[in-house]
Amino acid sequence: MSDVKTSAEETPPEGQIDTDYNIGQDNIEGKLGPIGFDIHNPVFAVSALTVIAFVAYTLLMPEQANSVFSLLFSEVTKGFDWFFIGAADIFVILCLVVVVSPYGKVRLGGKDATPDFSYLSWFSMLFAAGMGIGLMFYGVSEPLSHFSSSLGGTAVGADGIRTDWAPLGAAATQDEAVRLGMAASIFHWALHPWAIYAIVALSLALFSYNKGLPLTIRSAFYPIFGERVWGWPGHIIDILAVFATLFGLATSLGLGAVQANSGFNKLFGMPIDTTWQVILIVGITSIALFSVVRGLEAGVKLLSEINMGIAFLLFLFVLVAGPTLLLVTDVFDFLGAYLQYLPALSSPVGRDDVNFMQGWTSFYWAWWISWSPFVGMFIARVSRGRTVREFIISVLLIPSLVCVLWMSIFGGSAISQVVRDGYTAVQEADLPVQLFTMLDALPLASITSFIGIVLVIVFFVTSSDSGSLVIDTIAAGGKVDAPMPQRVFWCVFEGLVAIVLLLSAGGLKSLQSMVISTGLPFTIVLLVMCVAIWRGLASEPR
């Protein structure tokens, strides 16, 4: 299997590049600094110095920082919920239009390009990087929360605040509440988030492999900004991408540390406190550093395949050990419920369930958007040789179906334990420990809970190491072979930002505030990117 080759210095075969897009690339070439860093004009310097200043501010003025974080979260989720929801709808629509259009025949890398990875390796890497930690954290807790709120009860929002609300209005019966709760959960993990990833990944792959531009976010905007993309307009786009990726990853790392801490507490009595969570972040970041040094093939690819294998085994166990026939039947019922409620859930207007829109959906869309530079670039790096149609179907539809299966089996098992077995402990447990509480009601609970902790940790590692590679690529102007000290720098600072925000007065709320704040400006970047994609596809020979 060949290595992925996407360096800015490489030239694809004759006939595969639109030479009009190559002018001006030398303007973003970096140079080696005194400590071996590839200084990419202002992008690396501005991004690194701003992150360092942010860490110092949060540590030195924790109370003021917490007030700022809380204000940001409140203002952005309440004032821009319609914007996040409407933008995500546009991304889904564009993906579906491209799939059925003649542009779907365009091959990423040119007509003679062949895939660098097998389907199994490809799916494993994009899925492990895209949603691993989130599915482990919310796979049980979110369906339970929405099920409770569908009956007009008390639910826990993504921000951790308990409020009385019911998405789309209270359900009349318990069965209807189950269907609505599962539909609301699947909504946050299926088409919309994967469409966000697909838009970024497609733009990067198209303009890098087919147009010969560097593998960095600014390249997608050449059809709009022209030569100015190599100047400050492009610098700003890449700097925003670095910030969005860094804080999106930090949020996921914080969630992973909290859940791993809860799992170790349940199994081994480890105290649940920030000290142990910091220790976990340091330990897991150290493992991620080792993977980063090994690179994409030997590190990220191997870990992703191992993780997908373990996740599949845990999935099968819950399916077989639980009410198997009921769960299999419910998968189709919940998929139908998702499609039934999809128009109402994705509508940004005429909604009474403002707490659901703001506390859950706005946060999720901002989270996915902040992850999109990282996941999108990572998917682009491993997707050369696929047709656009094959690419979008694989990135949009197949992972969405996997998320439907995961939510239906894990969330459905937990709800079944509450409704049919009267096992209310899983519903009453705190969010980070609900997965392990659900496994307690099944055989071999100690073993499966330990496997769950291992999954959280390895998902943690794959997100951190692949995220470090992506941030490094953006900061180095699209080079995938930047100096090793630079990769190490970003990996260390991802963990440091997660630790600092976790230790701040707001805790997880601070993490979520920053991901919302960086997701807002990057949503605008993605909307403009949609126009650039269409222009880029239109310029391809057919």
Side-chain angles (χ1 to χ4, degrees):
M1 189 175 297
S2 63
D3 290 332
V4 180
K5 303 182 187 302
T6 56
S7 175
E9 288 85 357
E10 293 176 307
T11 303
E14 186 70 26
Q16 294 183 13
I17 300 177
D18 183 342
T19 54
D20 289 342
Y21 285 81
N22 284 319
I23 303 171
Q25 289 183 50
D26 290 342
N27 294 336
I28 64 167
E29 291 297 318
K31 59 182 179 180
L32 290 181
I35 56 174
F37 283 8
D38 189 353
I39 308 301
H40 165 216
N41 283 342
V43 173
F44 178 86
V46 172
S47 301
L49 291 175
T50 303
V51 170
I52 292 171
F54 170 83
V55 169
Y57 168 70
T58 307
L59 287 175
L60 296 175
M61 307 181 71
E63 293 300 328
Q64 184 184 75
N66 180 49
S67 299
V68 172
F69 297 153
S70 298
L71 180 64
L72 284 173
F73 188 90
S74 175
E75 293 300 318
V76 174
T77 54
K78 291 180 180 179
F80 294 92
D81 51 354
W82 59 272
F83 180 66
F84 285 122
I85 294 173
D89 291 342
I90 291 173
F91 303 144
V92 174
I93 293 170
L94 178 61
C95 285
L96 298 177
V97 169
V98 170
V99 164
V100 299
S101 75
Y103 299 147
K105 297 179 181 179
V106 173
R107 186 171 295 277
L108 301 174
K111 62 181 181 180
D112 298 323
T114 57
D116 294 305
F117 297 97
S118 67
Y119 274 114
L120 178 60
S121 296
W122 189 36
F123 290 147
S124 297
M125 286 190 285
L126 70 90
F127 192 80
M131 291 194 172
I133 292 177
L135 280 176
M136 293 299 296
F137 192 91
Y138 287 113
V140 170
S141 61
E142 186 172 352
L144 281 175
S145 297
H146 294 330
F147 160 67
S148 300
S149 64
S150 296
L151 291 172
T154 300
V156 181
D159 58 2
I161 298 176
R162 293 183 175 272
T163 53
D164 290 315
W165 50 274
L168 306 182
T173 65
Q174 190 174 73
D175 288 342
E176 185 183 350
V178 172
R179 295 184 78 251
L180 178 53
M182 289 304 305
S185 301
I186 293 171
F187 171 64
H188 290 145
W189 295 87
L191 289 176
H192 284 75
W194 286 102
I196 292 169
Y197 294 159
I199 290 295
V200 178
L202 176 59
S203 66
L204 289 168
L206 176 66
F207 288 97
S208 177
Y209 303 145
N210 294 62
K211 308 299 185 182
L213 298 183
L215 187 65
T216 189
I217 305 297
R218 74 172 71 202
S219 294
F221 294 86
Y222 191 94
I224 296 173
F225 294 116
E227 289 300 292
R228 288 176 297 168
V229 81
W230 312 122
W232 270 105
H235 297 333
I236 292 172
I237 289 170
D238 280 351
I239 290 169
L240 284 175
V242 170
F243 291 159
T245 303
L246 188 68
F247 288 111
L249 282 168
T251 299
S252 296
L253 299 185
L255 291 174
V258 170
Q259 188 173 34
N261 187 193
S262 299
F264 280 123
N265 170 264
K266 196 166 186 63
L267 287 179
F268 307 115
M270 174 188 288
I272 298 179
D273 56 40
T274 52
T275 300
W276 282 103
Q277 290 161 14
V278 168
I279 292 173
L280 285 170
I281 291 176
V282 170
I284 297 170
T285 300
S286 300
I287 300 173
L289 274 172
F290 177 74
S291 179
V292 163
V293 171
R294 288 175 61 86
L296 184 64
E297 281 275 353
V300 179
K301 174 178 171 291
L302 178 62
L303 281 175
S304 298
E305 290 177 347
I306 292 173
N307 220 29
M308 288 303 294
I310 298 174
F312 181 67
L313 290 176
L314 183 62
F315 174 86
L316 283 181
F317 173 81
V318 174
L319 176 61
V320 173
T324 307
L325 183 60
L326 176 65
L327 292 176
V328 171
T329 304
D330 281 347
V331 167
F332 297 97
D333 187 29
F334 296 154
L335 178 58
Y338 166 59
L339 297 176
Q340 174 188 343
Y341 287 109
L342 181 59
L345 288 167
S346 58
S347 173
V349 296
R351 300 277 292 272
D352 295 325
D353 54 336
V354 292
N355 287 316
F356 176 76
M357 290 175 61
Q358 296 168 3
W360 286 93
T361 305
S362 288
F363 167 72
Y364 267 131
W365 288 178
W367 191 11
W368 301 146
I369 288 168
S370 70
W371 263 54
S372 63
F374 148 50
V375 180
M377 184 174 292
F378 186 76
I379 293 174
R381 285 186 63 177
V382 299
S383 299
R384 185 172 187 158
R386 310 288 178 183
T387 67
V388 170
R389 182 171 293 117
E390 177 187 19
F391 173 87
I392 292 181
I393 289 175
S394 299
V395 174
L396 180 64
L397 299 182
I398 294 177
S400 294
L401 290 175
V402 173
C403 288
V404 170
L405 287 171
W406 187 277
M407 282 285 178
S408 297
I409 299 304
F410 280 76
S413 294
I415 292 176
S416 176
Q417 290 173 357
V418 174
V419 172
R420 294 174 177 84
D421 304 333
Y423 181 60
T424 58
V426 65
Q427 193 174 22
E428 296 166 355
D430 293 333
L431 259 69
V433 80
Q434 284 184 323
L435 168 65
F436 306 110
T437 308
M438 182 273 288
L439 293 174
D440 270 349
L442 302 176
L444 306 175
S446 297
I447 296 175
T448 55
S449 293
F450 182 75
I451 291 174
I453 295 172
V454 171
L455 271 175
V456 171
I457 291 174
V458 182
F459 274 132
F460 196 154
V461 172
T462 53
S463 296
S464 181
D465 57 11
S466 51
S468 301
L469 293 174
V470 167
I471 294 176
D472 183 38
T473 300
I474 298 172
K479 299 183 183 70
V480 296
D481 55 355
M484 187 59 63
Q486 196 162 300
R487 299 184 193 179
V488 172
F489 171 85
W490 289 115
C491 188
V492 169
F493 263 80
E494 284 169 27
L496 183 59
V497 169
I499 290 171
V500 168
L501 289 173
L502 201 60
L503 291 176
S504 68
L508 281 178
K509 184 68 175 288
S510 298
L511 288 164
Q512 293 163 337
S513 299
M514 291 311 301
V515 81
I516 280 278
S517 303
T518 53
L520 179 60
F522 208 73
T523 304
I524 301 172
V525 172
L526 262 62
L527 288 171
V528 180
M529 188 180 284
C530 292
V531 179
I533 288 174
W534 194 260
R535 291 185 181 180
L537 289 172
S539 70
E540 282 293 296
R542 283 175 261 170

